[in-house]
DNA sequence: ATAATATATATGTTTTATCCTATATATGAG
DNA sequence: CTCATATATAGGATAAAACATATATATTAT
């Protein structure tokens, strides 16, 4: 599981609660690893069982007690081993590409609209990428040293470049449809 | 579920067995939607229950009876609705990017090796993309009309272009590491 | 006043996907 | 003669992820 290593990675920066982690995930790695709240809490419980993190209860009067999780030495070791280890292989899943694959059953007009839809979504995502580094989320406020920040930017860069490539792809297809280069049957 | 629409899409070309479908998946959409054998059989059972496909038993003497699945009218309708419908949003998950995100804990030398590893894998994948259209798999032998073939090529193109973008990204990072542009702490 | 949002955790259920194994037989390679 | 590969289906076990809901309180906005 990669989620558990992502959690260990963040706890290696600083101790956090599950609630903190959810916000941090959303403002930093969401673009390549979305995480569900319930999944984070369950993974924290699991990491605690395996002594890779330790829970510290911080009582509060007004709200539920905070459970602050600290990474342990063995947790740090596991994290290091995983990050330094071989690249986990990606099994990519893209539902939009399934639509593309079977869109031969649509009319060329429908296909054109479809790709214009894709291109629109991609342009929106690209715009959001441009804004990200300027809007300081919880992630930037709390944890990043220049070195950590640098690697975060690398992941943003990767997302942006891949998205740009896909947008150009969609645009070239729009051109091909308009100039009648799609085989009919 | 996108898998069920992919199956409907193939059965819309031609009736197939679960076994056929597994081979077809592996030789056509694997690069953006890998499918497990057991999952295909279970999904076929589920589609049958919902009357989107119909099973035809073809007895064989020597081997287990073939169960050939045919798409029904309502199955065709569902497929059309889904393919014509709005783009399903992609929630991308990339374990390698988690490694990148946290690789600040490694030495620059280790990071360099890591990215050279990534680049190597990507170059391999790109080479495979180049070979695909020439090696006729079960997919090309059995089902594609020029129109269907065209959309298949589009998905390959997308994979190739995204991979190329990521490779260039990795190579630019290698250069940055070599020229000491990675912040130290 | 009331509703929404933020803080904080937890669990039950379902879906999706992976892994492994079992059943049967035929063919071809070493 | 054995072992791998191909044909064909199926199900148990587990892991991963998504979806929904519950508890409790404080603050802010309408």
């Amino acid at each position: 599981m990669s989620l558990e290593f992502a959690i260990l990675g963040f706890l290696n920066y600083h101790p956090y609660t599950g609630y903190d982690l959810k916000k941090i995930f959303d403002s930093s790695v969401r673009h390549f690893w979305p995480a569900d709240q319930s999944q984070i809490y369950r993974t924290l419980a699991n990491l605690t069982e395996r002594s890779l993190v330790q829970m510290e209860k911080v009582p509060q009067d007004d709200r539920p007690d905070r459970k602050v999780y600290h990474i342990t030495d063995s947790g740090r070791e596991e994290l290091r081993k995983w990050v330094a280890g071989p690249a986990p292989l990606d099994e990519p899943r893209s539902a939009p590409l399934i639509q593309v694959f079977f869109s031969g059953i649509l009319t060329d007009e429908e296909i054109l609209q479809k790709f214009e839809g894709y291109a629109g979504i991609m342009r929106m995502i690209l715009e959001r990428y441009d804004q990200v580094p300027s809007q300081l989320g919880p992630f930037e406020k709390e944890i990043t040293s220049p070195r950590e920040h640098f690697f975060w930017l690398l992941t943003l860069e990767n997302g942006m470049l891949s998205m740009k490539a896909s947008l150009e792809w969609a645009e070239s297809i729009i051109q091909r449809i308009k100039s009648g280069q799609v085989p009919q049957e």
Side-chain angles (χ1 to χ4, degrees), chain A residues 163-177:
Chain A
M163 193 52 74
K164 210 177 264 178
S166 278
L167 176 58
E168 281 165 25
W169 167 80
E171 281 167 345
S172 93
I173 292 161
I174 290 170
Q175 288 318 308
R176 280 182 262 179
I177 299 167

Side-chain angles (χ1 to χ4, degrees), chain A residues 111-171:
Chain A
I111 295 167
L112 183 63
Q113 277 170 27
K114 196 129 255 303
F115 276 95
E116 265 158 2
Y118 292 145
I121 291 169
M122 294 189 221
R123 276 188 212 103
M124 256 186 49
I125 294 173
L126 275 174
E127 270 170 48
R128 250 189 294 157
Y129 271 116
D130 282 334
Q131 289 159 6
V132 169
S134 57
Q135 55 179 227
L136 296 167
F139 172 63
E140 283 186 276
K141 269 185 290 181
E142 294 188 49
I143 51 173
T144 44
S145 70
R147 188 170 173 88
E148 287 152 12
H149 190 85
F150 173 79
F151 288 100
W152 175 48
L153 286 180
L154 289 189
T155 67
L156 286 176
E157 218 182 273
N158 178 275
M160 230 178 66
L161 290 170
S162 304
M163 193 52 74
K164 210 177 264 178
S166 278
L167 176 58
E168 281 165 25
W169 167 80
E171 281 167 345

Side-chain angles (χ1 to χ4, degrees), chain A residues 5 8 12 52 71-85:
Chain A
F5 293 107
L8 283 177
N12 184 43
L52 301 178
I71 193 167
T72 63
D73 286 340
S74 60
R76 212 165 261 125
E77 217 177 289
E78 285 299 302
L79 172 66
R80 224 217 161 261
K81 242 191 278 176
W82 184 79
V83 174

